Amino acid sequence: MRDESKLTVALDRRRCVGLVAGLAAWAACPALAAAPAFDRVAAQGRYRAWFSAFQDDHRLDAGSSARSVVPDSRASVLLATLATEPQARRLFLALLRDAVVAGDGGRFPEPDPAYAATPVRAWYVHVDGGGQLESYFNDAARFRPYHLPPTGVLTRDAYPFLLFEDAPGPLRFAGVSREFWGIIDYLGNLPYA
């Protein structure tokens, strides 16, 4: 019996050493290591710089937005549409002005080949809306439920997000999520006194 227990202890030690070695190898592997934390402060700085350039572009001329908008993107189509809808455009700009970067949604899997040439990233944004959006965010038909997903995870029907070109340097706007656009529809349909 004693020899069996020594054998069991020796096997258990080997398993532990193997487990520790395996964990060390996993942690050292770049492909398996955790993604770096999302720096919200730096992202908010990039967002503010982008919004300033975006406003300047649109004060000058709608055609001069290549500096802040990805050409031939969902964003460029949206902006052309908004040029004919002044109320929606004002509301859209107000929401962009007040938005705060909340998190990184990772690479957006573009389903439309017409827009797939430029890789884009989803940035979750917090929009306050002056306290008028609580019922929008609590609507179970829209958000299942309303929450900020983990860093690098794109989740639909969870949180509003904007799309930006996935590249270093100044941001360029590439699109709006339906979760964000729904805010504009919702606010546009509120009764005003």
Side-chain angles (χ1 to χ4, degrees):
M1 294 280 199
R2 255 180 122 167
D3 289 336
E4 282 180 25
S5 64
K6 284 182 184 178
L7 181 61
T8 302
V9 168
L11 287 174
D12 285 345
R13 282 188 184 149
R14 282 189 185 158
R15 284 185 194 127
C16 285
V17 168
L19 179 62
V20 169
L23 288 173
W26 177 80
C29 178
L32 298 176
F38 182 66
D39 185 345
R40 285 189 193 125
V41 173
Q44 185 65 25
R46 286 182 74 198
Y47 180 83
R48 286 288 152 227
W50 164 78
F51 185 71
S52 178
F54 181 74
Q55 281 187 304
D56 289 347
D57 284 348
H58 288 86
R59 274 190 210 115
L60 300 171
D61 176 9
S64 68
S65 63
R67 184 170 71 126
S68 63
V69 178
V70 174
D72 301 320
S73 65
R74 292 177 183 279
S76 60
V77 173
L78 171 67
L79 294 172
T81 302
L82 287 175
T84 64
E85 300 178 24
Q87 182 179 346
R89 184 176 185 275
R90 279 192 299 276
L91 187 53
F92 180 64
L93 290 172
L95 291 172
L96 290 178
R97 181 181 310 105
D98 295 338
V100 175
V101 177
D104 171 31
R107 184 72 63 87
F108 182 74
E110 179 55 65
D112 188 336
Y115 302 121
T118 303
V120 297
R121 192 160 203 90
W123 279 20
Y124 294 112
V125 291
H126 171 74
V127 181
D128 181 57
Q132 296 180 320
L133 295 173
E134 192 170 325
S135 60
Y136 173 73
F137 293 132
N138 289 328
D139 184 351
R142 296 175 200 256
F143 295 97
R144 299 183 191 132
Y146 177 71
H147 70 285
L148 180 62
T151 297
V153 177
L154 180 63
T155 305
R156 299 310 306 248
D157 305 318
Y159 211 86
F161 62 88
L162 300 171
L163 299 174
F164 292 97
E165 182 178 31
D166 193 8
L171 290 178
R172 289 199 313 165
F173 185 43
V176 175
S177 68
R178 69 176 176 251
E179 295 83 353
F180 188 94
W181 188 256
I183 297 169
I184 295 165
D185 283 341
Y186 178 80
L187 291 174
N189 290 319
L190 287 179
Y192 291 98

